[in-house]
Amino acid sequence: MILEIEVENLFSFKDKITFDMNSNIVNINGGFNSGKTNLLKILNAVSLMIRGSDNYLNTYIYNDKPSSYKITFLKSNTKYVYGFTLDKKQVSREYLYYYDDKEENIIFERVNKAYTFNDSKLKNISKMVLDNRLFLSYSKDELNDVYTFLTSTIGICLDIRTLIEPAFNLYSRDINDKLKPYVLEFYKNINVNIIDYNVKSIMLGKGLGYTTKFKHNIDNKNYIIDYGDESLSNRLVFAIIPFILKTLKENKVLIIDDLDSFLDNRIIKEIINILKDSKGQFIFSSHLGNDYDVKTISLL
């Protein structure tokens, strides 16, 4: 679970700002150009930077002032703090701490080229780190819990429509229909009369495609409708459910931007209802005027 994020001089956040996210459901609420999407883009850029050992944030530093990022999170009941400061030429500071009985413990700390470690195995890795790269990028095996959380446990979706293709892949591999009861229950709870579906993978030239059909029950009669003829709302619900279940069952962090641009309030409230008692975390952004009775961060 993400507990807190602090950024300075990144994207549209010129001044230091701290976001308290200590809840399993968080709504980042704001109007157009308020910065809610930029916060999610920063999380995504940091993840790419860690995974790719490349300085993806360079593009988003607008002046000679250093930029900084800090994230506090829980992983396996341990509280960690990871952060860094950088400019367009180098990472001037990077650190990773964990807390034991509220006491801060250094895992590693880097100030320019000088390092402090609590494990001698990390010392050899530091010799390979370039000035403008993150030490954590080189420490996948040694710091796997932290690396995995920041790159894999956090799933960031900047456009819900991009979930459609990976969702089809999950459905086509759901041979024992483990997903189906949850999907049909979700549709029932939002008063959509879909009572069954079928997803098959097919070869399309050199690529893989999918055929999807839904069975509706209307006035005690069944009708088969192709996926493409369904409403956009029904199609997006179908795409998001597998990832909601992953969040629920695998203690993931699911982050979706502009959720209320694509799904109406009854659907969003059902997602909240499913995840409200889970050990996973659901973070979403929405526009001003929507109140979902969850922890809300307001950006005006």
Side-chain angles (χ1 to χ4, degrees):
M1 175 185 286
I2 299 173
L3 301 178
E4 187 178 275
I5 295 171
E6 181 183 286
V7 297
E8 182 178 10
N9 196 37
L10 284 171
F11 286 73
S12 57
F13 302 108
K14 298 299 188 297
D15 299 322
K16 183 182 290 186
I17 184 169
T18 301
F19 301 95
D20 177 7
M21 295 189 169
N22 189 8
S23 176
N24 69 323
I25 300 180
V26 179
N27 174 20
I28 303 170
N29 190 255
F32 292 102
N33 299 317
S34 60
K36 57 186 187 296
T37 297
N38 281 340
L39 176 59
L40 307 190
K41 285 182 176 180
I42 291 171
L43 284 169
N44 193 52
V46 170
S47 176
L48 289 171
M49 190 173 172
I50 293 170
R51 279 183 287 173
S53 189
D54 199 357
N55 196 339
Y56 287 93
L57 292 174
N58 253 346
T59 309
Y60 307 106
I61 300 173
Y62 296 106
N63 50 46
D64 294 330
K65 181 182 176 183
S67 298
S68 65
Y69 170 87
K70 181 173 77 172
I71 182 168
T72 305
F73 60 95
L74 285 177
K75 170 70 174 179
S76 302
N77 295 319
T78 300
K79 179 181 174 181
Y80 292 94
V81 176
Y82 172 70
F84 54 81
T85 301
L86 77 169
D87 56 30
K88 292 185 177 182
K89 293 182 179 180
Q90 66 174 359
V91 177
S92 58
R93 187 178 180 223
E94 186 182 3
Y95 51 89
L96 175 63
Y97 311 129
Y98 75 94
Y99 285 80
D100 183 13
D101 294 329
K102 297 184 179 180
E103 183 179 344
E104 183 180 276
N105 300 274
I106 293 177
I107 296 177
F108 78 83
E109 190 169 48
R110 164 191 186 184
V111 179
N112 295 320
K113 296 182 179 181
Y115 286 86
T116 302
F117 303 105
N118 72 346
D119 187 340
S120 59
K121 293 179 182 177
L122 297 175
K123 186 174 182 179
N124 291 331
I125 298 173
S126 66
K127 299 174 183 177
M128 301 184 292
V129 180
L130 300 177
D131 289 350
N132 65 340
R133 300 293 187 265
L134 296 175
F135 176 84
L136 186 58
S137 300
Y138 297 79
S139 312
K140 178 179 180 179
D141 295 329
E142 292 77 8
L143 300 173
N144 185 256
D145 266 7
V146 173
Y147 183 96
T148 301
F149 183 88
L150 295 176
T151 59
S152 303
T153 300
I154 301 174
I156 302 165
C157 176
L158 297 175
D159 185 334
I160 193 173
R161 292 168 294 189
T162 63
L163 296 178
I164 293 173
E165 192 73 16
F168 278 155
N169 185 35
L170 291 173
Y171 282 120
S172 67
R173 294 189 283 114
D174 186 30
I175 298 172
N176 296 319
D177 285 337
K178 292 182 178 180
L179 282 171
K180 186 164 286 189
Y182 299 97
V183 176
L184 299 182
E185 181 69 16
F186 194 102
Y187 279 122
K188 180 181 177 181
N189 289 343
I190 60 171
N191 297 316
V192 174
N193 52 26
I194 292 174
I195 61 170
D196 201 3
Y197 64 84
N198 183 264
V199 179
K200 290 184 179 179
S201 59
I202 57 173
M203 291 303 299
L204 294 175
K206 295 182 180 180
L208 192 66
Y210 304 92
T211 61
T212 302
K213 296 182 182 297
F214 292 96
K215 181 187 286 187
H216 288 254
N217 184 271
I218 303 173
D219 296 330
N220 295 318
K221 291 183 180 180
N222 293 335
Y223 300 87
I224 304 300
I225 300 178
D226 286 333
Y227 175 84
D229 293 326
E230 288 286 350
S231 68
L232 177 61
S233 178
N234 283 350
R235 283 181 277 157
L236 292 178
V237 167
F238 195 63
I240 198 174
I241 290 175
F243 300 96
I244 293 171
L245 290 177
K246 276 184 169 290
T247 304
L248 184 66
K249 293 185 174 183
E250 300 177 18
N251 298 341
K252 299 280 189 178
V253 179
L254 177 61
I255 304 175
I256 299 180
D257 191 25
D258 277 348
L259 195 63
D260 59 341
S261 292
F262 299 100
L263 300 178
D264 62 40
N265 284 344
R266 67 197 169 98
I267 298 173
I268 295 174
K269 288 177 180 178
E270 178 61 18
I271 294 171
I272 291 170
N273 184 56
I274 291 172
L275 295 175
K276 65 182 179 182
D277 297 319
S278 78
K279 293 183 179 179
Q281 186 177 29
F282 180 48
I283 300 169
F284 66 99
S285 71
S286 67
H287 296 90
L288 286 173
N290 283 321
D291 183 6
Y292 297 105
D293 193 27
V294 297
K295 186 180 185 65
T296 299
I297 296 170
S298 294
L299 296 176
L300 302 177

